[in-house]
Amino acid sequence: MRIIGRIRSNGEFSNVEQFFTLKYYAGQGVGRAAAKQVFDLFPGKWRVLQVKNNYAAQAFWRKVISEYTGNRYFEKYDAKDDRSSVQEFHTDNRML
């Protein structure tokens, strides 16, 4: 299994900068499980951004974050750096 990702923190938020699973594993829950484990490893405030028009990524992250937080997250649209969809949440909202 191959999951590629990069996580960064600016001191206020942890950010998912890149996240990729091989197509072979698509739809098997591998990416979803990995994302939730990453959130657990780095508790606190999170900001997840998707590149404009990447609708598959937007749907993936909305679903994962909604499941993880029990739909307790904030979403906004950001014109900077040609990014459109941004979700923010705190791991304290995790559904057990």
Side-chain angles (χ1 to χ4, degrees), residues 32-33 36 60-73 93-96:
R32 183 172 58 246
K36 291 176 182 180
F60 170 81
W61 286 111
R62 285 181 185 127
K63 181 176 181 179
V64 168
I65 294 167
S66 180
E67 288 176 2
Y68 186 84
T69 65
N71 208 34
R72 292 186 300 261
Y73 69 96
N93 291 330
R94 184 177 195 278
M95 296 298 294
L96 301 175

Side-chain angles (χ1 to χ4, degrees), residues 73-89:
Y73 69 96
F74 173 76
E75 183 161 353
K76 64 183 180 180
Y77 297 93
D78 188 355
K80 293 180 184 177
D81 298 324
D82 200 29
R83 297 189 185 263
S84 61
S85 186
V86 182
Q87 296 85 27
E88 295 178 353
F89 66 97

Side-chain angles (χ1 to χ4, degrees), residues 38-62:
V38 169
F39 297 150
D40 287 343
L41 285 171
F42 301 95
K45 293 181 183 177
W46 277 87
R47 179 178 289 145
V48 182
L49 299 90
Q50 299 89 51
V51 176
K52 184 178 180 180
N53 298 330
N54 189 342
Y55 303 117
Q58 292 171 10
F60 170 81
W61 286 111
R62 285 181 185 127

